[in-house]
């Protein structure tokens, strides 16, 4: 009898594997897509994971569903190790009823999410679904609501990552939107609330899924996608890379790494010496802030998030002296590093994620201010810009700021200034800190002298230089304690390693409250 039961189990498992290797799966593989289980195997160490609820089936019988019952109900759930640490995951199977979400399907996902919260493990949701299962009606909607509720409960407790490997439409998009990071594959991923067919019916406008909500759109225009990959294998590899920087939960320390020279105080001395000449002599000339970031982080390794969106601000993860950190920096090569609505949103959400999970924040500041213009004012730059002020002021993790060139006006305050609680603020000798740029300020402060001069252009140049020296020098801010140290650029890495080591035990109490009210 025992042997018969064992044989029965073997037959059932074999039939499930055979289904995954069927005609539908073969067609998708020809398009460069993995099966649901192959995606999980690529995610977990050695391809090994423990599957949960493999035998679950839908209870629906209406609209022909009786003949569509399949064990697993279109989603594979389970847990395994990623980088030696436990991770929980779900992976939708488009070959089973289009990967649509019904009652049982949703219950499986909710169950593994509950497990992730209970054990303090990151949760990865691989989405590949036609959306709500119409045949199950309100039970499908209930299922989405249960998942959204768990996304919200888990927010700030465990890292949540959504991987879009196919269609993700209608209500299905809101779970990824609540999670911390969204991965998409160029050409294979789509996210939208209203599909192209509905838009065509209502407006007469012909539009493709990629034009409406492809990876390029969400990676560069909407900002919904944080990482865009060329194929599924690269996408999963980048998920694993991201997880290597993150703690398992909000009570765990970020993962460290000790690999010799890469963690030393001085790493790549030639690169550090080059920092002494990276700032152009012309204060209006751009340079690439990423070259500075890569010169000071361990091994030059920097995992950038939302690389194609709001490129005037850079955010991402790196290690400095073996410590995982979140990096936020202005990008002078794009819009001169000005802050605007999108960049403020991008940076503030990243800051809040790092604060939730104990990742120290390292910022590089070079900004001439908030982007001026009617368009920005009407788009709500006041409200959006305030988010960044709120995010840095709210954060209690170690905060270190390096000002490389310009820190002007309200943007100086917003970019992790001493006034918002930065623990250590460092400045390069090239720094200009002021209420407004030297050119504009000189025109106001020295207007009479310039107008009375025989050569106004020459006088203006002299007054601009005088203003920079008298009012915008880093030594003025340092004299008042707003800057802790003025350092040579080549000493930046050593200063950062020292600051982060000193700040590692930091604890900061805030007044008790339910939560603050960030200006969303």
């Amino acid at each position: 009898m025992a042997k018969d039961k064992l044989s029965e189990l073997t037959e059932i498992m074999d039939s499930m594997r055979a289904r995954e290797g069927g005609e539908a799966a073969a067609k998708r593989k020809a398009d460069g897509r993995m099966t649901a289980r192959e995606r999980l195997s690529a995610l977990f160490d050695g391809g090994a994971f423990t599957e949960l609820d493999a035998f679950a089936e839908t209870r629906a019988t209406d609209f022909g569903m009786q003949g569509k019952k399949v064990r697993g109900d279109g989603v594979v759930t389970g847990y395994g190790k990623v980088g030696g640490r436990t991770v929980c995951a779900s992976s939708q199977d488009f070959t089973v009823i289009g990967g649509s979400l019904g009652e049982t399907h949703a219950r499986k996902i909710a169950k593994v999410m509950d497990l992730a919260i209970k054990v303090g493990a990151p949760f990865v949701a691989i989405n590949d679904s036609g959306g709500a299962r119409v045949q199950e009606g309100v039970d499908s909607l209930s299922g989405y609501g249960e998942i959204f509720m768990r996304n919200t409960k888990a927010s700030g407790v465990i890292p949540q990552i959504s991987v879009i490997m196919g269609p993700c439409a209608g209500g299905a998009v809101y779970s990824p939107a609540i999670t911390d990071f969204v991965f998409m594959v160029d050409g294979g991923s789509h996210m939208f609330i209203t599909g192209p067919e509905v838009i065509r019916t209502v407006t007469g406008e012909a539009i493709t899924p990629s034009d409406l909500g492809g990876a390029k759109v969400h990676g560069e225009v909407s900002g919904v996608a944080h990482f865009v990959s060329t194929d599924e294998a690269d996408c999963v590899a980048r998920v694993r890379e991201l997880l290597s920087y993150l703690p398992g939960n909000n009570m765990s320390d970020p993962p460290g790494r000790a690999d010799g020279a890469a963690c030393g105080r001085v790493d790549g001395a030639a690169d550090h010496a080059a920092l002494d000449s990276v700032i152009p002599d012309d204060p209006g000339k751009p340079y690439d802030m990423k070259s500075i970031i890569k010169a000071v982080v361990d091994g030059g390794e920097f995992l950038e998030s939302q690389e194609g969106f709001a490129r005037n601000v850079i955010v991402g993860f790196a290690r400095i002296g073996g410590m995982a950190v979140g990096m936020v920096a202005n990008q002078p090569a794009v819009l001169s590093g000005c802050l605007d609505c999108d960049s403020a949103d991008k940076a503030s959400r990243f800051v809040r994620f790092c604060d939730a999970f104990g990742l120290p924040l390292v910022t590089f500041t070079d900004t001439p201010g908030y982007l001026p213009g009617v368009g920005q004012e009407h788009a709500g730059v006041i409200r959006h810009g305030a988010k960044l002020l709120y995010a840095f002021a709210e954060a209690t993790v170690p905060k270190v700021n390096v000002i490389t060139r310009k820190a002007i006006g309200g943007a100086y305050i917003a970019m992790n200034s001493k006034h918002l609680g930065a623990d250590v603020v460092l400045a390069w000798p090239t720094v200009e800190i002021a209420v407004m740029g030297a050119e504009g300020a000189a025109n106001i402060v020295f207007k009479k002298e310039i107008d009375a001069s025989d050569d106004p252009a020459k006088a203006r140049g002299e007054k601009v230089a005088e203003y920079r020296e008298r009012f915008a020098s880093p030594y003025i801010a340092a004299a008042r304690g707003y800057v802790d140290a003025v350092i040579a650029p080549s000493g930046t890495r050593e200063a950062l390693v020292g600051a982060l080591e000193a700040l590692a035990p930091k604890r900061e109490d805030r007044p008790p409250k339910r939560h603050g009210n960030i200006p969303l």
Side-chain angles (χ1 to χ4, degrees), residues 24 47 67 223 227 291 352 382 399 416 463 488:
F227 299 92
S291 65
R352 299 191 86 207
I382 296 171
K399 296 183 288 188
N416 194 22
K463 292 303 182 183

Side-chain angles (χ1 to χ4, degrees), residues 186-516:
D186 193 17
S189 304
H190 302 101
M191 295 179 72
F192 39 75
I193 298 294
T194 306
E197 298 81 6
V198 176
I199 292 177
R200 189 180 299 114
T201 300
V202 174
T203 68
E205 182 182 6
I207 192 168
T208 68
S210 292
D211 291 336
L212 181 61
K216 185 176 179 65
V217 169
H218 288 311
E220 299 178 8
V221 181
S222 72
V224 170
H226 298 82
F227 299 92
V228 175
S229 294
T230 54
D231 55 48
E232 292 195 5
D234 175 66
C235 183
V236 177
R238 296 182 80 188
V239 172
R240 287 177 56 89
E241 183 181 2
L242 173 61
L243 286 168
S244 74
Y245 289 101
L246 309 182
N249 55 72
N250 63 336
M251 302 300 288
S252 300
D253 292 328
R257 188 180 70 182
D259 54 2
C263 295
R265 283 180 176 268
V266 179
D267 174 40
D271 290 340
H272 298 161
L275 291 180
D276 287 336
S277 57
V278 73
I279 302 297
D281 292 334
D282 180 353
K285 187 175 180 180
Y287 64 92
D288 187 359
M289 183 65 83
K290 292 181 189 178
S291 65
I292 296 176
I293 293 173
K294 292 179 180 180
V296 301
V297 301
D298 295 359
E301 296 176 2
F302 176 58
L303 179 62
E304 185 172 358
S305 176
Q306 293 183 295
E307 183 176 4
F309 175 69
R311 295 183 301 114
N312 41 321
V313 158
I314 302 164
V315 301
F317 300 98
R319 290 182 178 84
I320 298 178
M323 293 170 278
V325 299
M327 311 282 293
V328 181
N330 303 114
Q331 174 55 291
V334 180
L335 294 178
S336 299
C338 280
L339 294 173
D340 61 359
C341 294
D342 284 343
S343 62
D345 284 358
K346 171 180 172 178
S348 56
R349 190 159 193 267
F350 183 80
V351 167
R352 299 191 86 207
F353 172 84
C354 292
D355 187 48
F357 291 101
L359 287 158
L361 286 160
V362 175
T363 56
F364 283 88
T365 299
D366 184 354
T367 175
Y370 281 94
L371 186 66
V374 173
Q376 283 293 304
E377 296 292 351
H378 288 188
V381 69
I382 296 171
R383 174 168 52 86
H384 291 276
K387 295 177 188 179
L388 190 55
L389 292 160
Y390 189 106
F392 273 121
E394 177 189 44
T396 59
V397 293
K399 296 183 288 188
V400 183
N401 184 19
V402 181
I403 307 174
T404 60
R405 186 168 61 177
K406 294 181 181 179
I408 306 298
Y412 151 69
I413 302 172
M415 283 298 296
N416 194 22
S417 66
K418 203 74 171 176
H419 323 291
L420 297 185
D423 300 294
V424 175
V425 177
L426 308 171
W428 289 4
T430 45
V431 161
E432 178 183 335
I433 301 175
V435 172
M436 61 191 302
E439 292 80 1
N443 287 337
I444 295 173
V445 176
F446 302 110
K447 185 179 186 305
K448 291 182 179 179
E449 292 93 325
I450 292 172
D451 290 345
S453 172
D454 295 334
D455 188 345
K458 180 181 179 182
R460 182 177 294 106
E462 292 173 348
K463 292 303 182 183
V464 167
E466 181 182 346
Y467 182 86
R468 280 202 178 97
E469 182 64 27
R470 290 180 57 189
F471 301 105
S473 161
Y475 303 105
I476 303 297
R480 288 161 174 74
Y482 306 149
V483 166
D484 295 299
V486 180
I487 63 170
S490 55
T492 301
R493 175 179 165 81
E494 185 173 5
L496 286 175
V497 172
L500 291 169
E501 287 177 348
L503 292 169
K506 177 187 174 184
R507 296 291 181 270
E508 185 174 335
D509 294 326
R510 295 292 176 92
K513 56 184 174 181
R514 291 180 182 271
H515 58 74

Side-chain angles (χ1 to χ4, degrees), residues 78-94:
Y79 58 89
K81 300 286 188 180
V82 177
R85 298 183 299 153
T86 299
V87 171
C88 295
S90 65
S91 181
Q92 292 179 315
D93 185 351
F94 193 83

